[in-house]
Amino acid sequence: MNFDLSEDVELMRSHVRDFAQAEIASVAPLLDKYPEFPWKSLRKMGEMGLLGMLTPEAYGGSGLDTLTYVVMLEEISAADASHGTIMSVTNGLPQSMLLEHGTPVQKDTYLPKLASGEWIGSFCLSEPHCGSDAVAMKTKAEKVEGGYKLSGTKAWITSGSEAQVYLVMAKTDPQAGARGVSCFIVEKGTKGMIFGKPEEKMGQHAAITTTVIFDDCFVADEQLLGKEGQGFVYAMTSLDSGRIGIAAQALGIARAAFEAARDYADERIAFGKPIRENQGISFKLADMATQLEAARLLTYKAAWLKDRGYRVTQEASMAKLFSSEASAKITHAAIQILGAYGYSKDYPVERYFRDARVTEIYEGTSEIQRVVIARQIYRDLA
Ligand code: CAA
């Protein structure tokens, strides 16, 4: 039985599922083989309001809640994980940061374009030498007349070179640790901003990932987001939302793998009966279904609490940790159930397995999620 969502959400889910299966799942194998940023389907997702789901209608967004957002993100990701990543990053990180900390002018300038999907947003925190230890970043923003000069290299940037707006964390006070980081809004095309070539990755090939290099890149004072020295905290709070999105994405990939395995186990005959009648297969399916359900409930709970204004640092990390690890297990088991077909590119499950893997790495590795959860356990006692 499904979680008891409102009729409106169920209707929207069914509409988004039909669209995703017809227009995204059908192109996913091709995009995997010949990687290309999926502008055509992103434009349609923009028209459907899926790229500005949490942004208020006043800024051209859908003004929906986080629970509705994760339900739709699961649907998109079940069709193709790359679309899920692009959707999750542009909704969950740049738009949420602009909404939370932007000036009226910054909001008016960027949110309508991002929410409509005309522009895609990107988030620049990691660097070649630091992902988990984000405070160790070397990118600097030196104060000059009328603005700042950015210099440094950001790595593993989702939608790098394709996105038009980049929220860039850089040190304005290198001696001040986390409190010396500020956040800047940088538009593609700004002089001194250079993109690396797309990374060759194990999966999620259409979610183009590049380095972004800042070579004495001037940004005006007006491009500082919020207050100087607050950029790290802004990045961390937006990752609290972003991680709920990755949990939903991992869930979508896992569901697609589970459904493929469930159907195959019903159709495939071995020793005179469908293989699902063998305990070796049925117990696997039972474990997969249970993990899916638990991942969904943790994801929904984090979203539900966020919608009620609670700080969700711990719940978001728990949802991402569990859902991404469940997705790895479920996609692994799906290949086992399909046997040689699971290992073949004729079926999508090998792609699901490759696509799921990075959900345990980006927006904070599983190890970082455990660090965050463990710290919160003691913070809650204090
Ligand atoms: N909410 C609010 N404030 C927070 C916070 C949160 N969730 N997490 C940290 N902070 C605040 C702290 O309170 C602290 O503030 P004070 O200076 O006032 O004390 C400040 O931020 C520094 O925090 P920590 O001392 O905890 O910092 P740390 O160096 O120990 O790092 C960490 C903490 C949790 C390990 C953090 O570095 C982290 O999350 N690392 C992983 C980074 C990450 O997820 N990167 C993903 C890259 S983006 C990506 O993948 C996107 C994509 O394109 C797909």
Side-chain angles (χ1 to χ4, degrees):
M1 197 174 134
N2 255 345
F3 197 80
D4 194 13
L5 298 166
S6 74
E7 235 176 83
D8 284 352
V9 176
E10 285 298 357
L11 205 67
M12 185 172 179
R13 182 215 287 271
S14 139
H15 184 51
V16 171
R17 182 177 291 187
D18 290 348
F19 159 77
Q21 290 305 318
E23 305 211 22
I24 295 181
S26 53
V27 295
L30 217 63
L31 289 170
D32 181 53
K33 198 164 179 185
Y34 306 105
E36 188 184 310
F37 202 70
W39 277 113
K40 197 173 157 211
S41 33
L42 287 171
R43 292 272 178 257
K44 289 194 184 156
M45 285 170 65
E47 282 162 23
M48 291 168 76
L50 296 172
L51 298 179
M53 286 195 68
L54 306 168
T55 294
E57 286 173 298
Y59 295 109
S62 303
L64 293 165
D65 59 9
T66 316
L67 186 57
T68 308
Y69 166 62
V70 297
V71 171
M72 304 315 150
L73 189 47
E74 178 188 329
E75 291 306 327
I76 296 295
S77 306
D80 178 44
S82 292
H83 283 75
T85 292
I86 300 163
M87 174 176 168
S88 173
V89 171
T90 195
N91 271 288
L93 299 174
Q95 285 183 69
S96 82
M97 288 172 92
L98 280 160
L99 264 177
E100 200 71 30
H101 312 291
T103 61
V105 173
Q106 288 170 340
K107 289 182 189 176
D108 284 342
T109 307
Y110 295 109
L111 285 173
K113 287 191 168 119
L114 288 169
S116 65
E118 183 188 340
W119 284 10
I120 292 292
S122 207
F123 177 81
C124 301
L125 181 67
S126 301
E127 300 193 358
H129 72 288
C130 71
S132 294
D133 184 8
V135 176
M137 70 179 71
K138 290 181 185 160
T139 298
K140 283 187 302 190
E142 193 193 334
K143 188 76 190 91
V144 293
E145 203 187 330
Y148 298 80
K149 262 199 176 164
L150 300 188
S151 46
T153 301
K154 293 292 176 182
W156 310 111
I157 304 308
T158 297
S159 307
S161 77
E162 301 285 344
Q164 285 84 353
V165 186
Y166 297 77
L167 292 204
V168 182
M169 268 42 74
K171 283 195 170 160
T172 37
D173 181 355
Q175 312 313 321
R179 292 289 172 177
V181 174
S182 302
C183 178
F184 298 89
I185 309 165
V186 188
E187 282 185 39
K188 181 177 173 176
T190 304
K191 193 162 173 267
M193 184 186 201
I194 303 152
F195 299 106
K197 64 171 178 45
E199 302 291 347
E200 288 187 35
K201 301 176 296 183
M202 176 180 180
Q204 299 205 18
H205 295 161
I208 301 294
T209 307
T210 71
T211 51
V212 184
I213 300 154
F214 298 96
D215 181 13
D216 276 343
C217 175
F218 175 80
V219 288
D221 284 328
E222 296 73 46
Q223 299 306 96
L224 173 71
L225 183 79
K227 294 199 182 96
E228 218 183 76
Q230 290 295 310
F232 187 76
V233 175
Y234 298 165
M236 288 297 116
T237 41
S238 75
L239 279 168
D240 286 350
S241 312
R243 288 168 182 165
I244 304 176
I246 301 304
Q249 183 203 22
L251 178 63
I253 305 168
R255 192 192 87 206
F258 169 74
E259 288 174 356
R262 178 200 62 196
D263 295 349
Y264 184 85
D266 195 33
E267 288 157 15
R268 174 77 174 188
I269 306 292
F271 307 105
K273 57 185 182 186
I275 60 170
R276 71 177 170 81
E277 289 182 24
N278 297 315
Q279 202 176 68
I281 301 294
S282 67
F283 277 21
K284 262 196 185 58
L285 288 166
D287 287 344
M288 291 157 84
T290 307
Q291 284 159 2
L292 259 188
E293 190 71 2
R296 185 170 290 117
L297 290 176
L298 279 172
T299 306
Y300 282 11
K301 183 185 170 189
W304 187 87
L305 285 173
K306 184 168 183 298
D307 287 334
R308 275 147 193 81
Y310 292 100
R311 177 171 171 169
V312 291
T313 303
Q314 187 177 33
E315 289 78 8
S317 282
M318 284 178 167
K320 183 192 182 279
L321 171 65
F322 189 88
S323 190
S324 60
E325 293 195 345
S327 197
K329 287 183 203 144
I330 291 168
T331 54
H332 183 278
I335 292 181
Q336 200 63 24
I337 291 173
L338 270 81
Y341 291 113
Y343 194 64
S344 155
K345 285 195 185 288
D346 289 346
Y347 282 76
V349 290
E350 65 82 31
R351 173 164 51 83
Y352 300 149
F353 177 74
R354 288 185 287 108
D355 285 348
R357 189 63 180 85
V358 73
T359 64
E360 295 174 282
I361 297 170
Y362 58 22
E363 298 210 16
T365 59
S366 288
E367 291 71 20
I368 287 296
Q369 306 314 323
R370 289 185 169 92
V371 167
V372 172
I373 295 162
R375 284 184 184 176
Q376 291 296 321
I377 292 170
Y378 288 101
R379 227 160 262 174
D380 289 349
L381 288 178

